[in-house]
Amino acid sequence: MVLVWTLAWATTHLLLHRLVLVPLSDSCFPTPNVPKRSISAPLHTRAKENGKNSEAKPRLRRNLERLSDSESPDPAKELADVKTVNSTKKKFAKAAWKCFVYSVSAIVGFYVLFSDNWWMEPALWMLDFPNPTTSEMKLYYMIGFGNYMYQTLSLRTSETDFAAMVLHHSATIAVITASYCFGFTRVGIIILFLHDCSDPFMEYAKCSLYLKMQQRADLFFTIFAAVFIITRNILFPYVIRCAHIHTLLEDGTRMPRGSPFWTNFCLGCLWVLAALNFYWGFLVSGNEKDALFFLRLR
């Protein structure tokens, strides 16, 4: 089932990229034309007609050469412009795809989480262990697992944040897998949702930035920063603390009885995620230079 959802995200990305994202990028960022221009043809022709091309005075010759140089195209600059536009197209398509993915995941997570009220009381997170898992919760798990697996497989070593993202995605996949297999699905749903809330705003801010809509980009980045700090730097550590407390049994051992290793492993992965979130939160809440560096990282 996990492999099916990973392939489903890959297929969706391929179809959406070809049918929507590429045409949208082409319309938003047209590739500059490189016209073929003749160099000062009228002036040279006029000089030749007057029979003065070979006998032109030094001053006239210098003027003609200067004008020819100013009208001649710069191949290096035109090639650089084309590369810049193509790079912006790729970045825009990538940000638009991530905005779509995280929006879908966040909407499904919102529906699953707020369709019941157990999330309001941390003591209920471990009640009836292993937690009863509804079909909607299983669907959200498969969407989240497939998404993070596909993103991990799509990472490139040339990306600036390659190591951090591999560590983040690996820890997330480990937590999703262990929490699903060992019945900690309520905590797993909360963690997934907290990590999905802020990302759509960030990706939309990046799309706006590429489109040179600076005010809109600033607005959505501010919303993203606020949601990120609240969900990942405040609520997420609180969830980890509650997981530490409520996975303890009466005799002081970890749940499940007799096999505490995987619970301690999950808690360790959660603190790895928390450390990365605090690092990114520091960049988000820092000065403009740090915020721009964060956008380049993500």
Side-chain angles (χ1 to χ4, degrees), residues 82-98:
V82 172
K83 288 183 177 180
T84 300
V85 171
N86 290 336
S87 176
T88 304
K89 286 182 180 181
K90 292 179 180 179
K91 292 177 181 179
F92 177 81
K94 182 179 179 180
W97 160 250
K98 287 187 175 182

Side-chain angles (χ1 to χ4, degrees), residues 30-38 71-86:
T31 303
N33 295 323
V34 184
K36 296 181 180 180
R37 292 171 288 184
S38 60
E71 291 184 358
S72 62
D74 185 353
K77 182 179 183 302
E78 291 178 343
L79 181 60
D81 291 341
V82 172
K83 288 183 177 180
T84 300
V85 171
N86 290 336

Side-chain angles (χ1 to χ4, degrees), residues 18 62 67 75 97 100 103-104 110 149 158 170 180 199 205 218 220 231 243 245 258 273-274 277 290:
R18 290 187 176 181
R62 286 196 300 270
L67 185 58
W97 160 250
F100 169 77
S103 297
V104 170
F110 182 88
M149 181 62 73
S158 58
S170 299
Y180 185 81
D199 286 336
D218 292 341
F220 277 88
T231 56
I245 295 173
L273 292 176
N277 289 336
D290 292 334

